[in-house]
Amino acid sequence: MATVAVPHTGYQRPAVLDWITTVDHKKLGILYLYFTLFFFAVGGILALLVRTQLAVADSGFVGNDAYNQIFTMHASAMLFLFIIPVWAGFGNYFVPLQIGAADMAFPRINALSFWLLPPAGILMFAGFVVDGGAADAGWTAYSPLAQQTGVGMDMWILAVILLGASSTIGAANFLVTMLRMRAPGMTMFRMPIFCWTMLVTALLQLLATPVLAAALVMLFIDRNFGGQFFDPNGGGNVVLWQNVFWFYSHPAVYIMILPGMGIVSEVLPVFSRKPLFGYKAFVFATIGIGGLGFSVWAHHMFTTGSVLLPFFGFMTFMIGVPTGVKIFNWLGTLWGGSISFPTPMLFALGFVSMFLIGGINGTFSAAVPVDFALHDTYFVVAHIHYVLFGGSVFAVFAGLYYWFPKIWGRKLNERLGKLHFALMFAGFNLAFFPMHMLGLDGMPRRIAVYAESTGWGALNLVSTLGAFVIAVSMIPFLIAVIWAFTRPQDQPADPWEGNTLEWATSSPPPVHNFDSLPPVRSERPLFDARHGDGAH
Amino acid sequence: MKRLAAAVALMALALLGAGCQPAAITDEARDMNDLYNVVLIAAIVVFALVAAALVYAIVRYRRRDDALPPQFHGGGKIEAAMVGVPVLIVIGLFTISMITLVGVDDTAEPDDLTIEVTGFQFSWQFTYNLNDLGEGGGGMDAEAEGAVSVIGTPANEPVLMMPVDEPVEFVLRSSDVIHSFYVRDFLYKLDLFPGRVNAFTVTARETGDFRAQCAELCGLNHALMRFTVRVVERGEFDAWIASEAVRQLGDGARVRAR
């Protein structure tokens, strides 16, 4: 009998080379998480500089020029280098696991999506060392102001184009993965809710991000080659930039929050020991938010005098409906449950309560005549932070504490986690609630200094104090992470009594993800396996 | 349960107290403030109800044993209510918003006082055309020519003089980047664009000094683009215009104080 000897080389690539060349969705997911959490820290340090500058009236801490760079880069880091790609990180790791696939549909493209991020991050932040400094026209880069600044602005534009390319091809990859690679038995309406939110997010990215890329290319041409797209003296239109920018950037707000809603909608049912209340309503509400998200962009422009106010006011109110549906989904999930409170659940509940405020204070600006007063004041700064910090960041930590045992095979310490939550929750409200009052009292956003006579000093000091409490809350988190890594990988496949397929494989999962899959007969295959289909 | 209700009620009162807008000094601002108060009350009621339900659920349904709770997935009627209630709330709020919007969207009559506002990096220019001074011609000859201007700098913040109790039209232009004309006690702002003219009209009902500043990031000294709106009686306004006209235009101007 002829045999072919297949030599087992036993060759192992060096770890660094392995991480750089990997196409394993789990390793890429971990790289995404490391990268984005690094920029969360960078953006956080910039936020502390902003808050220190504003702590007292007539402050000269960083100066006007540096201040404009710092708050611009704070927003750019948090939005483009943290929140948007952090969902790609969670999605990379968990979408294939949750649908019972072995990897993403296009593993090499997946690696490309990630490896576009580091050069973009470096390019954007290298602005700080070039002549004229980093981009300083705000993350909104309104023209013609964005035409005036130095080469750091060009670097910012190119970086955002790279990041957009990353998220566009990443979105295509997620869509194909979820549409084509689900496990046998997993119909669309049995897909885990986190996957649904990633699917709608991917659709938004695919449709909206190219518009941003086009706008940025026009801005780049305007700046460097006399394009005059946005220059009224050359027949261009100043307001055009705002229209194309917000056509992307409003849907982008949903890109930044929908996957967070997905994580919370995984965590709440597990720790309430009940299914998500109104699964289909939640899916349709997510699709509704995605669809309506494309028709509300001009509510960022109510004070330009060039907006069809009734239409955009109406659509903006309407987007409150699917958002309200989700609040009911979460309340209904808790109602009648058997609720326990480990750290991921605390962060999920923090999300629900803070996002509730972020939803409600948004309706003020939907009422057009009210927005005339509130637009571009600290009220709006409060609103976006209740949505993107009280919402998205709390969801990021809910996800980290929830999935940490799956990714690394170790649990984060519960006491440290609870301390982290308590400090972050208190610090967050201390930092951002006073901004409502500051906004009502007429404090515009993006000002580097304010006069003593305004009387804004006291509330600003409270807000700054809150920002530092948030920073301190990261200490127990970091200790918990470092401590966890000194311990053995002792976590079972399913430490939380989870519902979805990622808990059907070992922690951490093998390279090929699953040795076998349980049957999928509902959106909770592991619950069915534990309790029998009859319990459903 | 009682304690929860009391805590929620107390929080709602505190929010109501903290959530008030500054005094509105124009007719338009007073209408917009009424709308704001309606939205504020709706917001506090919704927040209080949902927060109370959330806290109640967390306390009432915490895990006590290993028994599996009823596996309730939702149902048609309750899900219809989930959509119906928010729809009713937002349609109601939208309707009153639009009524207010139509009410405050005043257009100036040709003989109203017009103040031309030009924003620049980093201050303001306020221009009063002597043949467009509104009621009674500002004590000027109807054929008066020329204009009175106030130009500020970041260090020397300009004062915008306007008369009380009559409609005043603001015509907004920018000579460089986008700015925003924001007077806190008007509860209003409108952007200034290069290459485009924006305008709005308000009727002030209170005299006094009111702080104001640029609300759209416009570069290095954006924060210093401050000014004061000084609302005065018509007579005082006329006297100020007349003295400025003499000072700025000199004897060559055809100015005649009546």
Side-chain angles (χ1 to χ4, degrees), chain A residues 302-323:
Chain A
F302 281 160
T303 64
T304 58
S306 7
V307 168
L308 183 58
L309 298 172
F311 174 79
F312 286 102
F314 183 73
M315 297 315 279
T316 304
F317 270 122
M318 286 312 288
I319 211 161
V321 174
T323 314

Side-chain angles (χ1 to χ4, degrees), chain A residues 100-166:
Chain A
D103 205 316
M104 294 282 282
F106 307 109
R108 282 162 208 272
I109 287 178
N110 200 22
L112 176 63
S113 296
F114 172 74
W115 287 105
L116 285 173
L117 300 183
I122 292 167
L123 190 60
M124 195 184 270
F125 272 82
F128 276 115
V129 297
V130 300
D131 203 25
D136 60 358
W139 80 279
T140 48
Y142 275 12
S143 191
L145 180 62
Q147 316 270 1
Q148 292 183 343
T149 50
V151 69
M153 189 73 215
D154 290 315
M155 295 158 76
W156 183 91
I157 292 171
L158 295 174
V160 178
I161 290 175
L162 278 180
L163 295 167
S166 161

Side-chain angles (χ1 to χ4, degrees), chain A residues 424-449:
Chain A
M424 196 165 110
F425 190 81
F428 169 77
N429 282 292
L430 218 51
F432 296 107
F433 201 82
M435 290 184 183
H436 292 107
M437 279 89 93
L438 285 169
L440 290 170
D441 199 23
M443 180 170 170
R445 62 195 291 204
R446 296 173 166 179
I447 54 168
V449 285

